[in-house]
Amino acid sequence: MYVCLCVGVTDGQIRDAIYEGCCSYKEVRAATQVGTQCGKCACLAKEVVRDTLTELQTSQAALPYPVEFTAA
């Protein structure tokens, strides 16, 4: 689903940015340019970031040892 129509950023692209090492909305914004034009998408983008980070933390808690993400 498109989150930012101005720049054409999807929720999948936001998730990919997090899987590639972004750990905050600020980092996702720098990587994808989401929310840099009109800003109407910022609330939804932050929600996608928050949900994805929570999902990652929950899945890591089930592992016997934490997985480390490194920036490329």
Side-chain angles (χ1 to χ4, degrees), residues 1 8 10 12 31-32 37 41-42 45 50 58-59 64-66 68-70 72:
M1 151 182 82
T10 65
T32 64
Q37 298 295 314
C41 62
R50 187 173 37 251
T58 303
S59 66
Y65 53 89
E68 301 255 341
F69 287 98
T70 57

Side-chain angles (χ1 to χ4, degrees), residues 39-51:
K40 290 182 180 178
C41 62
C43 287
L44 179 56
K46 288 177 184 178
E47 183 179 336
V48 173
V49 169
R50 187 173 37 251
D51 290 348

Side-chain angles (χ1 to χ4, degrees), residues 5 9 17 27 31 62 71:
L5 295 176
V9 179
E27 291 177 4

Side-chain angles (χ1 to χ4, degrees), residues 16-48:
D16 287 344
I18 292 170
Y19 297 147
E20 292 172 5
C22 292
C23 296
S24 67
Y25 171 71
K26 185 177 179 180
E27 291 177 4
V28 169
R29 184 177 174 182
T32 64
Q33 299 303 305
V34 68
T36 58
Q37 298 295 314
C38 74
K40 290 182 180 178
C41 62
C43 287
L44 179 56
K46 288 177 184 178
E47 183 179 336
V48 173

